[in-house]
Amino acid sequence: MKVSKLKGQGSVRSGAVQSWHAIDWQRVERNVRGMQTRITKATQDGDWRRVKALQRMLSRSFCGKALSVRRVTENQGARTAGVDRELWNTPEAKLKGITQLERRGYKPRPLRRVYIPKSNGKQRPLGIPTMRDRAMQALYLLGLEPVAEVQGDWNSYGFRRNRSTHDAMSQLFICFARKGAAPYVLEADIAGCFDAINHEWLVRNVPMDRSVLRKWLRAGVVEEGQLKATTAGTPQGGIISPTLANVALNGLESELARHLDAKLGKTKAKRQKVNTVRYADDFVITGDSIGFLKNEVRPWVEEFLAVRGLQLSMEKTRIVSIDQGFDFLGWNFRRYKAKFLIKPSKKNVKTFYGKVKEVISANKTAKQEELISLLNPMLRGWANYHSPVVAKATFNRLDSLIFRAIWSWSKRRHRNKSAGWVRKRYFHSEGNRNWVFSTTVAKGNGKQAKVTLIRLADTPIRRHKKVRGSFNPFDPADELYGEKLHQERMLHDMRHRKQWTSLYRSQHGLCAHCGGRITRETGWHDHHIHRKVDGGSDRLGNRVLLHPVCHVKVHSLGIIVVKPGCM
């Protein structure tokens, strides 16, 4: 019987698991997170022999393999097959897939090439691996991700846990909103980043099994029935590709800062007001003058990228004044006289409205509730994305344009009816609002429910809570900070407010540690009984409410909190 052991975490016997549904996923997640925590500690200590040993142990463990198979069979690409046309869509196939994740004799299949349209009219190539190759990438990513987090630049926000475009936006606000901020920006984009990264550089510098990595990079692609060799790049579509790209670009911020400190001295370098913010392969670098950015920073960046086989896109790279403004991640960053504002970019607004119009035009004969069900997720998602910036005027303008499109849709359906009849049929009054596009639908229990098209302007504008640059989700020392960050970000989410209400009632309003009353004055913190860094979940059964002072005490002294009623 095959046994895979994780030191300090017990053992999991793969031969003892007879079905996919019999796997104890909570234990699997804890074991994997425990190993990732140890890899993080070894990386921080610079003990690379131990890092390699722990990565090898994780890649051979049953827990790592099971979690990898679950990831690739439950994500959005689970129904897209590779060149072998094989899908792991049954419990039996998933369990069998675990046994196929062996390094010995492993040879990846070529990628299936597909193309998706880009916003500029061009097409983006994607490489679709087979299910087995995807699972192998997910398996080795479990060991690579903790290392990449330790080595990552503080202001790199793409494809990293607990980091998003909103964090990049918030960091730029910090850079530009303060008095005496840098007046110029090098707005840069890397030409074909994923397709051009030098293979030999990746093999030499990515801290993972080099033999397996080289096989992935040289697997080739099948396009229009023809097998083509891959001599550069890491395919977009592979699970591990974003992390490989991040590893390649790590140091853009930290090494640039060290270069300037060494060349100019720390005092003079600080006067140049250089700040680097990166999201994936897009980045901006601030500076005190055009000449400095053009003659000092840009040549260094080009040299940094050239070593990795990359180069800047000439058409998308430029130096601009913050008074002129620039677009980044769907927002426009610009200083208006003495005030710095972030707004949705004109291009992003135009693209979004075009998609809304396209949905309306493509559903001319659909029922009203069907059209609302198609539009509401689009409107809600776009509004939530822009809710942390100055977007209220944009929301109002778009609401007006969408109303006109909906009004045209309504009139077209009843050409022989009057405007008053159409209005009464499709639009109603709610409170102080008139012309609300809504209807009622029958529910299964004989009752009726109202379905209303949401209004963008109803989305509240709330500042995003930025993640700390040094935060590492795999480091136990950051567990308390991670819990506080999660709570502050979710404070205004109604779903999470309902969860906290449920916890409060289950604890009878008492702190789970000291038993004291939790009030608005004392405040409260949402604590995970089994730490997230150890694989603990966000389920209510793993969470309790504590006083803030008790929360700090629990983490500082390593106290285990028992959920009330489970003693």
Side-chain angles (χ1 to χ4, degrees), residues 50-339:
R50 182 163 178 77
V51 169
K52 186 176 180 179
L54 290 170
Q55 287 179 327
R56 184 170 56 249
M57 190 185 304
L58 180 55
S59 66
R60 295 177 179 179
S61 70
F62 174 79
C63 291
K65 294 175 182 179
L67 198 62
S68 301
V69 172
R70 191 180 75 169
R71 175 175 179 176
V72 301
T73 55
E74 293 182 358
N75 60 15
Q76 293 182 346
R79 292 177 291 181
T80 305
V83 293
D84 60 355
R85 300 296 177 183
E86 181 181 347
L87 292 176
W88 294 350
N89 50 10
T90 65
E92 294 75 19
K94 295 175 184 178
L95 193 63
K96 183 180 177 181
I98 296 176
T99 64
Q100 298 179 25
L101 304 186
E102 295 292 339
R103 181 183 185 276
R104 179 176 296 178
Y106 170 66
K107 185 177 180 180
R109 300 288 297 273
L111 306 168
R112 182 164 69 91
R113 177 74 81 194
V114 297
Y115 291 89
I116 59 174
K118 297 172 66 175
S119 59
N120 59 5
K122 298 180 181 180
Q123 289 189 317
R124 184 190 307 277
L126 292 182
I128 309 299
T130 63
M131 293 300 297
R132 183 191 181 195
D133 293 335
R134 270 179 257 178
M136 284 291 284
Q137 289 188 18
L139 176 60
Y140 280 88
L141 179 60
L142 292 175
L144 174 61
E145 199 173 10
V147 183
E149 278 294 329
V150 174
Q151 297 180 330
D153 288 328
W154 281 17
N155 291 306
S156 165
Y157 299 100
F159 306 116
R160 295 177 65 183
R161 298 194 184 199
N162 300 101
R163 294 173 185 245
S164 65
T165 54
H166 292 100
D167 292 303
M169 175 271 296
S170 299
Q171 179 60 30
L172 284 174
F173 180 83
I174 293 172
C175 293
F176 290 116
R178 59 192 177 193
K179 188 176 180 180
Y184 297 100
V185 171
L186 170 63
E187 181 188 3
D189 180 79
I190 301 173
C193 177
F194 284 87
D195 299 323
I197 301 178
N198 183 278
H199 281 182
E200 290 306 315
W201 190 95
L202 286 174
V203 172
R204 288 194 309 268
N205 293 277
V206 175
M208 64 167 289
D209 190 310
R210 294 182 178 181
S211 175
V212 175
L213 176 58
R214 185 178 281 108
K215 290 179 180 180
W216 286 334
L217 297 175
R218 296 180 178 177
V221 297
V222 174
E223 186 174 359
E224 298 179 351
Q226 299 293 321
L227 176 62
K228 299 181 180 180
T230 48
T231 58
T234 174
Q236 295 188 63
I239 287 179
I240 203 170
S241 294
T243 302
L244 293 180
N246 265 340
V247 172
L249 296 175
N250 278 343
L252 183 64
E253 176 186 3
S254 56
E255 290 183 23
L256 174 59
R258 283 195 292 268
H259 165 75
L260 295 178
D261 286 347
K263 185 172 183 178
L264 305 177
K266 291 188 176 182
T267 302
K268 289 185 178 180
K270 188 175 182 180
R271 291 174 185 166
Q272 296 300 328
K273 303 172 183 177
V274 175
N275 297 279
T276 305
V277 177
R278 179 170 67 86
Y279 187 90
D281 58 341
D282 295 330
F283 62 91
V284 296
I285 302 177
T286 68
D288 193 51
S289 68
I290 294 178
F292 179 77
L293 289 174
K294 182 179 180 180
N295 302 320
E296 187 65 44
V297 174
R298 179 165 178 166
W300 184 91
V301 171
E302 290 175 342
E303 183 179 347
F304 174 88
L305 296 177
V307 174
R308 293 153 175 79
L310 303 172
Q311 60 182 0
L312 294 175
S313 170
M314 294 299 103
E315 59 182 15
K316 295 182 180 179
T317 301
R318 60 185 188 137
I319 298 175
V320 297
S321 166
I322 192 61
D323 294 324
Q324 177 186 350
F326 65 96
D327 291 347
F328 186 60
L329 302 177
W331 293 296
N332 178 260
F333 299 79
R334 184 177 177 185
R335 184 168 59 199
Y336 298 81
K337 294 183 179 180
K339 196 164 189 178

Side-chain angles (χ1 to χ4, degrees), residues 386-448:
H386 292 289
S387 61
V389 303
V390 183
K392 189 64 75 174
T394 303
F395 288 167
N396 283 318
R397 185 170 71 254
L398 270 177
D399 279 333
S400 178
L401 293 173
I402 293 172
F403 168 78
R404 294 180 186 179
I406 291 291
W407 177 242
S408 298
W409 177 89
S410 304
K411 290 195 299 180
R412 183 188 178 280
R413 296 163 66 90
H414 307 282
R415 299 182 184 275
N416 298 325
K417 298 293 185 180
S418 66
W421 187 93
V422 173
R423 179 193 182 282
K424 188 175 181 181
R425 169 71 174 78
Y426 293 102
F427 298 87
H428 306 87
S429 298
E430 290 184 2
N432 296 327
R433 286 185 59 198
N434 298 318
W435 294 88
V436 178
F437 189 67
S438 63
T439 186
T440 55
V441 295
K443 298 178 68 175
N445 55 9
K447 298 181 180 180
Q448 288 189 327

Side-chain angles (χ1 to χ4, degrees), residues 17-31:
V17 178
Q18 301 300 323
S19 73
W20 177 257
H21 298 301
I23 297 176
D24 185 349
W25 290 111
Q26 188 175 14
R27 187 178 181 186
V28 165
E29 290 174 357
R30 286 186 192 173
N31 287 352

